[in-house]
């Protein structure tokens, strides 16, 4: 399977699903401060509808992020953060300026030390969504969520993986299953 092509199709499908402008002039993909390269249309002096733009995130950028997180990212996630610049609301946005900043903000020392890659959040319930990079040697890394408040109860230095795992809730068997649900609506 061409992972990058699949990610591209999913991003485009998700974007197209919510790209309609209402009679009131509202569109889900509107926001202030959209760089000119990402503008699909200006709505007023401040707000613009944005469009997907091919990513300039390089392999070196990803290696630097892996080093910062202390993890080796799976192929699905690497493609996910390096296919398009976007302002999606279900995952950290990646605009053209500093495209990895919001991803860097997902870093959690305890999760990363335990082999969990935090990559998104459920803002409604305050949960961090992460890939378990230790359980499976291939691309079938299960996806879990954890309430961010619970993380404050753990000692970053002395917590064992089994202690943390008790607080995780299983969501998907792998990144593809998550992506299919979040972006294709399957």
């Amino acid at each position: 399977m061409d992972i990058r092509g699949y990610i591209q199709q999913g991003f485009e499908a998700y974007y197209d699903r919510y790209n309609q402008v209402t009679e009131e002039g509202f569109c889900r993909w509107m926001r202030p401060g959209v760089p000119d390269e990402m503008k699909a249309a200006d709505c007023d002096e401040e707000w613009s509808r944005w469009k997907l733009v091919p990513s300039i995130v390089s392999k070196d950028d990803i290696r630097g992020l892996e080093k910062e997180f202390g993890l080796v990212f799976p192929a699905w996630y690497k493609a996910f953060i390096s296919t398009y610049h976007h302002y999606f609301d279900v995952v950290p946005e990646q605009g053209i300026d500093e495209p990895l900043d919001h991803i860097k903000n997902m870093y959690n020392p305890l999760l990363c030390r335990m082999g969990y890659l935090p990559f998104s959040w459920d803002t409604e319930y305050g949960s961090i969504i992460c890939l378990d990079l230790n359980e499976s040697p291939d691309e079938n890394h299960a996806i879990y969520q954890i309430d961010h408040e619970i993380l404050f109860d753990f000692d970053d230095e002395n917590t064992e993986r089994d202690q943390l795992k008790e607080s995780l809730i299983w969501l998907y068997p792998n990144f593809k299953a998550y992506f299919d649900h979040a972006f294709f609506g399957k």
Side-chain angles (χ1 to χ4, degrees):
M1 171 183 283
D2 172 21
I3 295 172
R4 181 171 300 284
Y6 196 82
I7 296 288
Q8 183 177 354
Q9 288 174 7
F11 277 13
E12 291 170 0
Y14 187 67
Y15 181 86
D16 289 344
R17 187 175 325 128
Y18 298 107
N19 194 29
Q20 301 79 26
V21 178
T22 66
E23 289 180 19
E24 296 82 26
F26 180 76
C27 176
R28 185 170 181 173
W29 307 136
M30 290 173 56
R31 62 176 285 136
V34 175
D36 288 341
E37 303 91 342
M38 290 185 72
K39 285 184 181 179
D42 283 326
C43 302
D44 61 28
E45 292 177 17
E46 187 177 331
W47 288 74
S48 300
R49 193 164 38 104
W50 60 269
K51 63 183 177 183
L52 293 167
V53 174
S55 179
I56 59 168
V57 172
S58 69
K59 290 179 181 179
D60 286 339
D61 294 332
I62 292 172
R63 278 191 286 274
L65 194 59
E66 287 175 317
K67 185 175 182 180
E68 199 171 312
F69 276 49
L71 299 168
V72 176
F73 299 162
W76 275 92
Y77 187 67
K78 289 178 187 180
F80 184 73
I81 63 173
S82 64
T83 297
Y84 276 123
H85 293 290
H86 61 81
Y87 292 115
F88 289 135
D89 49 7
V90 295
V91 293
E93 63 184 47
Q94 288 186 259
I96 290 175
D97 301 327
E98 307 300 331
L100 298 177
D101 278 4
H102 291 278
I103 291 170
K104 289 177 184 179
N105 289 340
M106 292 299 308
Y107 175 77
N108 177 280
L110 176 62
L111 289 173
C112 291
R113 184 174 67 81
M114 297 292 174
Y116 294 100
L117 171 59
F119 70 90
S120 189
W121 57 87
D122 179 342
T123 54
E124 185 175 350
Y125 299 106
S127 297
I128 296 172
I129 301 171
C130 53
L131 280 157
D132 183 354
L133 301 181
N134 284 355
E135 288 293 318
S136 181
D138 57 11
E139 287 290 323
N140 286 313
H141 306 290
I143 295 185
Y144 294 88
Q145 75 178 17
I146 186 168
D147 184 319
H148 79 282
E149 295 284 334
I150 291 172
L151 291 171
F152 296 121
D153 296 337
F154 291 109
D155 178 348
D156 287 351
E157 304 292 321
N158 299 312
T159 300
E160 298 295 324
R161 186 173 160 83
D162 290 341
Q163 291 174 285
L164 179 65
K165 189 149 185 162
E166 290 175 12
S167 299
L168 295 168
I169 299 168
W170 182 90
L171 296 177
Y172 301 97
N174 55 43
F175 195 84
K176 182 184 179 302
Y178 160 80
F179 188 80
D180 285 349
H181 180 257
F183 287 87
F184 284 115
K186 295 180 183 179

